[in-house]
Amino acid sequence: MPYQGGKRLSGEKASKLGHLDVVNSALVNELIEQFEDQEPAQVESLANWEAIPNGETPLRLIFAVDGSKQTIRSDFPPYKELSFIKTALLRLDQHAIEKLDPVAPHPMALRDIMSDSAMYHATVLPLKGLSINGQSNYDAVRRIIFDSLQDQSLNAEPYKTLKWLAYEKWSGQQKSSPSFGCPHCEKDIGGLSFDQDEGACEHCGGHLYLTDMIGFHLEMSEDAAPESVATAYMLIHETLLLFTGIRFFWEAKKYSVLSNALFIKDGPLFLKGQYSKLVIPIRNFFDFAKQKGISVHVVGQEKTGAFFDHLEIIARNAPNNSLFAPSNEYIRKEIQHRPERAEPYGSRTNYGNKLFVKFDEYHHLVLSIPTGHYTDTDSLDVFLSLNRILVSLPPILSHRHECALVPVELANGVASLSSYPSAAILKVFADI
Ligand SMILES: [Zn+2]
């Protein structure tokens, strides 16, 4: 791709490459031939498709989360950069979805659903060139994250959920938070004592927020934060919204309501690298619920990425109403094309295992479903409440978009920033 145009110099034109005579290169020609010779991707029978079990009743209550983010940059120096983030949790029931026109849902009917049963959170993070009350960008972002999770419009519920997860409050024990690196001296801190919101580093005495445990500071510098911090905030907040629903029913001991609800996350059940501190507590929760015999139904659906691309190929030859759980070995060889590594796929970052599902010619889904503690077993038995989750999906498959679920489409509508203040309006505020 040509370089983009700057302020004073025009962008590089693709036609300038003409004189390089790339097509005279033997190597380039060979590569082009290889592209042209390419057969449609071969469908190997390595995928072991099985029929989707039936016999269960669909879950009645459905919760879906989604988020969006928009980064605004000032046009003139000193360059400033802000990221607006919005997340939403939507509650639906199967009856409400049945009443919608599947092909062209009436906008007013959608509006009613959204106004009655959606909650959303919005915040803004300074990424570059902004100082707040004389604090460095680094400390300002840490503070804003701490405050934003306690958003009073949501009664600080996502923050309470963070504490519920970090201290594993369901266990009835007074556990410490997971350990984390100090944002001031970088030394490892054993974790904050049970139920603490703030504390001091045992090495340097620096001030700590519980939210530092999540790991945002690990990719920030003193005066700037990369856009990936905003993305990570959005993903963490979506996760906390989802678990807020679960925590609410759990703490109220409404186990029968909980076991009749499906929680859908847009994207995989995954927290990457430095943000994976919550993965172990989340797995511990699912395992605890399993030991107690309480069904908690959570599913993540990813619509892009290597797993989705792979399913696009293998789904062609798969029978309708079938599923396939790829083993660690299959993921490594067929999807990631990686050499053998010591660490199994997702063992530190995922709180659900992958599952490929094909319902019909229009709908094949990459799902993640929790297993409790990590396992690389590819048996279908490891997935928690698999059958009940799968039987709940056909009634909510979208008739408007392939491979889509109606609750996620609707949550996306609520979370979408472009449908609320337009990007131009955001920019007007950002320039003040
Ligand atoms: Zn320290």
Side-chain angles (χ1 to χ4, degrees), residues 30-328:
E30 197 183 313
L31 290 170
I32 289 172
E33 266 172 40
Q34 279 180 20
F35 286 129
E36 286 173 348
D37 284 351
Q38 216 170 36
E39 297 279 320
Q42 286 296 307
V43 180
E44 287 293 333
S45 56
L46 288 170
N48 181 23
W49 293 93
E50 297 177 47
I52 294 178
N54 51 25
E56 301 261 7
T57 48
L59 294 156
R60 189 176 54 79
L61 256 185
I62 294 163
F63 293 85
V65 290
D66 200 4
S68 68
K69 165 188 76 94
Q70 181 123 27
T71 299
I72 309 291
R73 293 174 184 87
S74 59
D75 291 333
F76 303 101
Y79 295 109
K80 296 174 183 175
E81 210 171 295
L82 281 173
S83 213
F84 292 84
I85 300 146
K86 192 169 170 196
T87 57
L89 174 73
L90 188 67
R91 188 196 68 209
L92 290 164
D93 62 53
Q94 295 271 15
H95 301 304
I97 296 174
E98 279 165 18
K99 278 194 279 180
L100 287 177
D101 181 332
V103 181
H106 196 283
M108 300 296 260
L110 289 178
R111 193 202 58 185
D112 288 349
I113 285 181
M114 291 183 184
S115 61
D116 285 351
S117 42
M119 58 192 241
Y120 71 88
H121 160 72
T123 195
V124 57
L125 295 180
L127 299 182
K128 202 184 284 175
L130 292 133
S131 78
I132 296 172
N133 300 334
Q135 284 185 310
S136 67
N137 201 86
Y138 183 83
D139 287 331
V141 171
R142 289 176 51 235
R143 175 77 210 191
I144 291 170
I145 288 171
F146 183 65
D147 290 343
S148 291
L149 287 183
Q150 299 182 65
D151 179 356
Q152 286 308 311
S153 73
L154 296 183
N155 196 27
E157 295 298 338
Y159 180 74
K160 293 175 197 166
T161 302
L162 174 70
K163 291 181 75 174
W164 188 71
L165 290 171
Y167 297 115
E168 303 195 16
K169 290 191 177 183
W170 57 84
S171 72
Q173 297 168 20
Q174 308 258 305
K175 291 196 178 187
S176 302
S177 80
S179 62
F180 58 101
C182 172
H184 308 287
C185 70
E186 299 179 15
K187 287 187 181 150
D188 200 45
I189 298 159
L192 293 182
S193 311
F194 181 71
D195 218 21
Q196 271 194 309
D197 299 304
E198 298 172 67
C201 171
E202 63 212 40
H203 308 290
C204 72
H207 187 80
L208 305 172
Y209 302 112
L210 174 63
T211 44
D212 290 328
M213 176 271 300
I214 300 170
F216 297 100
H217 62 278
L218 297 173
E219 56 177 350
M220 294 193 289
S221 65
E222 195 61 21
D223 56 358
E227 200 175 354
S228 51
V229 166
T231 308
Y233 179 88
M234 182 182 79
L235 292 176
I236 292 283
H237 204 274
E238 286 174 18
T239 308
L240 293 177
L241 274 182
L242 194 77
F243 279 92
T244 293
I246 295 169
R247 174 179 63 84
F248 181 81
F249 295 126
W250 185 275
E251 289 188 327
K253 296 190 167 42
K254 291 185 171 177
Y255 302 125
S256 64
V257 184
L258 182 59
S259 58
N260 239 316
L262 176 62
F263 295 86
I264 307 175
K265 184 179 175 306
D266 185 37
L269 302 181
F270 159 85
L271 293 171
K272 74 163 185 179
Q274 63 267 48
Y275 296 102
S276 60
K277 291 288 178 190
L278 289 173
V279 167
I280 298 293
I282 289 174
R283 283 198 196 133
N284 288 348
F285 168 71
F286 284 114
D287 200 69
F288 188 84
K290 181 175 143 188
Q291 303 305 331
K292 285 249 176 203
I294 297 165
S295 302
V296 185
H297 311 95
V298 176
V299 63
Q301 188 214 350
E302 56 201 85
K303 292 171 290 191
T304 55
F307 284 83
F308 188 79
D309 293 344
H310 185 74
L311 179 60
E312 288 279 286
I313 297 166
I314 63 168
R316 290 179 206 152
N317 279 11
N320 286 348
N321 289 311
S322 63
L323 78 169
F324 160 53
S327 66
N328 183 46

